């Protein structure tokens, strides 16, 4: 049985800011019920791509399709109205507000009419607890300030909030950055939960160790262009890590260091070149399921 067509697709998308080309002819397809990982180093074009998908920027060239139909969003609100939600690194939360208030934040349920309209606290708390529970998030006290929660818990709430408001496409911008191992693991678990609920999850990261366990599809960007587009079964972990480490760039660096070491008789440069070469060989040996 063949899978359905992509929920979201970009074809030949380019974006320029003055003389700077941030994206150059990037194509990618994102399917419902899958985690697509967009990887790349700083300056690879990841942020520009997600801002195009989220409606922040319009592409200068290329086509953006949703459900197979060309679309052009004028703002993030337009994209959100079509089911494309983005959770950025800085998150849209108010640290001094309670957990349940942050869950709704600007869309709080009310009861009563006219001058007697008021916040429906009971309904809001119940809904927040139920929706977070569906994503496997257990909160001890919904009245605790959001600022007292860990970074992983804040990311998890933001994911649950996007799902509750009808997201069909969930874009996550470096959700595990600056998190500890345990917190990162919890966030990755909630990403898998979102995938199982049928969302097309787009995970932006520079960490292959976080991407590989949850990813079904990997897009590697380098200097604004697509450097690779793979299904998981096509891409061993070692090759992904080598691509992320800039394997070819590292090999060129080794050659330059070795040449410089010979010309200057610098033993430190020679040792550095040997260490980098050992790292490259180590990456080549890594395979899925084997310890790195």
């Amino acid at each position: 049985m063949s899978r359905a067509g992509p929920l979201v697709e970009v074809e030949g998308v380019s974006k320029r800011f003055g003389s700077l080309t941030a994206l150059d002819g990037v194509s990618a397809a994102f399917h419902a019920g899958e985690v697509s990982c967009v990887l790349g180093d700083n300056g690879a074009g990841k942020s520009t791509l997600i801002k195009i998908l989220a409606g922040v920027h319009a592409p200068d060239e290329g086509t953006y399709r949703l459900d197979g139909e060309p679309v052009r969003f004028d703002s993030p609100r337009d994209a959100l109205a079509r089911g494309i939600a983005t959770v950025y690194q800085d998150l849209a939360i108010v640290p001094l507000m309670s957990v349940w208030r942050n869950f709704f934040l600007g869309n709080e349920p009310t009861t009563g009419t006219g001058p007697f309209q008021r916040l429906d606290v009971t309904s809001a708390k119940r809904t927040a607890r139920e929706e977070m529970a569906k994503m496997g998030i257990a909160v001890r006290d919904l009245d605790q300030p959001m600022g007292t929660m860990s970074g992983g818990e804040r990311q998890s709430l933001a994911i649950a909030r996007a799902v509750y408001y009808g997201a069909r496409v969930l874009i996550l911008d470096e959700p595990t950055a600056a998190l500890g191992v345990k917190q990162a693991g919890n966030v990755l678990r909630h990403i898998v939960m979102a995938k199982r609920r049928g969302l097309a999850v787009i995970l932006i990261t520079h960490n292959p160790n976080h991407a590989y366990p949850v990813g079904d599809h990997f897009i590697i960007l380098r200097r604004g262009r697509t450097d690779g587009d793979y299904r998981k079964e096509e891409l061993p972990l070692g090759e992904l890590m080598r691509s992320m480490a800039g394997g070819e760039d590292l090999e060129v660096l080794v050659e330059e260091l070795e040449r410089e070491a010979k010309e200057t008789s610098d033993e430190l440069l020679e040792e550095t070149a040997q260490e980098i070469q050992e790292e490259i060989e180590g990456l080549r040996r890594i395979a899925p399921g084997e310890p790195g």
Side-chain angles (χ1 to χ4, degrees):
M1 181 178 176
S2 61
R3 60 176 178 162
L7 181 55
V8 170
E9 183 178 13
V10 290
E11 183 178 356
V13 164
S14 297
K15 183 64 182 178
R16 300 177 184 85
F17 299 95
S19 61
L20 173 66
T21 300
L23 285 182
D24 186 8
V26 170
S27 298
F30 307 98
H31 292 258
E34 289 187 358
V35 177
S36 295
C37 301
V38 180
L39 301 105
D41 209 343
N42 292 335
K46 304 188 304 295
S47 295
T48 304
L49 177 60
I50 66 169
K51 286 178 179 178
I52 287 174
L53 294 173
V56 177
H57 298 317
D60 295 325
E61 298 172 7
T63 305
Y64 181 179
R65 297 188 185 92
L66 177 63
D67 293 318
E69 297 293 329
V71 293
R72 187 178 182 89
F73 299 128
D74 294 325
S75 69
R77 187 178 294 274
D78 289 346
L80 187 59
R82 296 292 300 272
I84 300 174
T86 305
V87 177
Y88 293 101
Q89 280 180 278
D90 51 4
L91 302 176
I93 63 168
V94 181
L96 295 179
M97 276 190 175
S98 64
V99 172
W100 68 268
R101 286 296 298 269
N102 271 280
F103 186 85
F104 290 98
L105 203 60
N107 294 286
E108 291 85 353
T110 58
T111 185
T113 58
F116 302 103
Q117 190 177 58
R118 63 192 183 280
L119 188 63
D120 191 344
V121 176
T122 302
S123 174
K125 288 184 176 181
R126 181 178 64 250
T127 300
R129 188 179 298 279
E130 290 174 352
E131 292 301 319
M132 286 190 287
K134 290 178 183 177
M135 294 293 295
I137 305 167
V139 179
R140 294 180 299 276
D141 183 7
L142 289 170
D143 287 313
Q144 72 182 90
M146 196 69 191
T148 64
M149 300 182 75
S150 69
E153 289 172 325
R154 297 182 197 185
Q155 283 282 351
S156 299
L157 179 139
I159 293 170
R161 181 173 61 191
V163 172
Y164 172 70
Y165 281 109
R168 301 170 61 210
V169 180
L170 179 61
I171 304 171
L172 302 170
D173 179 21
E174 299 278 5
T176 59
L179 296 184
V181 174
K182 184 176 180 180
Q183 292 182 20
N186 285 333
V187 172
L188 295 177
R189 180 165 61 89
H190 298 137
I191 289 172
V192 173
M193 293 284 288
K195 176 184 84 168
R196 289 177 178 172
R197 295 186 66 171
L199 277 72
V201 181
I202 302 173
L203 172 61
I204 312 298
T205 183
H206 65 273
N207 191 331
N209 291 314
H210 291 168
Y212 203 81
V214 300
D216 302 292
H217 172 214
F218 301 90
I219 298 167
I220 302 170
L221 297 181
R222 185 184 294 260
R223 298 168 187 162
R225 296 184 178 181
T226 305
D227 195 49
D229 191 327
Y230 308 96
R231 301 295 303 169
K232 189 169 191 172
E233 55 271 19
E234 301 171 336
L235 184 68
L237 175 58
E239 186 61 32
L240 174 61
M241 294 183 72
R242 182 173 178 272
S243 297
M244 284 297 298
E248 294 180 1
D249 293 343
L250 287 176
E251 289 169 352
V252 171
L253 176 60
V254 169
E255 293 175 1
E256 291 177 352
L257 288 174
E258 288 177 339
R259 184 173 60 253
E260 184 73 16
K262 288 179 181 178
E263 292 176 355
T264 61
S265 300
D266 190 324
E267 292 182 0
L268 181 58
L269 280 180
E270 186 175 355
E271 290 176 6
T272 302
Q274 290 175 352
E275 289 174 359
I276 295 175
Q277 184 62 46
E278 288 173 3
E279 289 288 337
I280 295 172
E281 294 301 323
L283 290 173
R284 286 172 176 163
R285 289 193 296 269
I286 296 173
E290 296 181 1

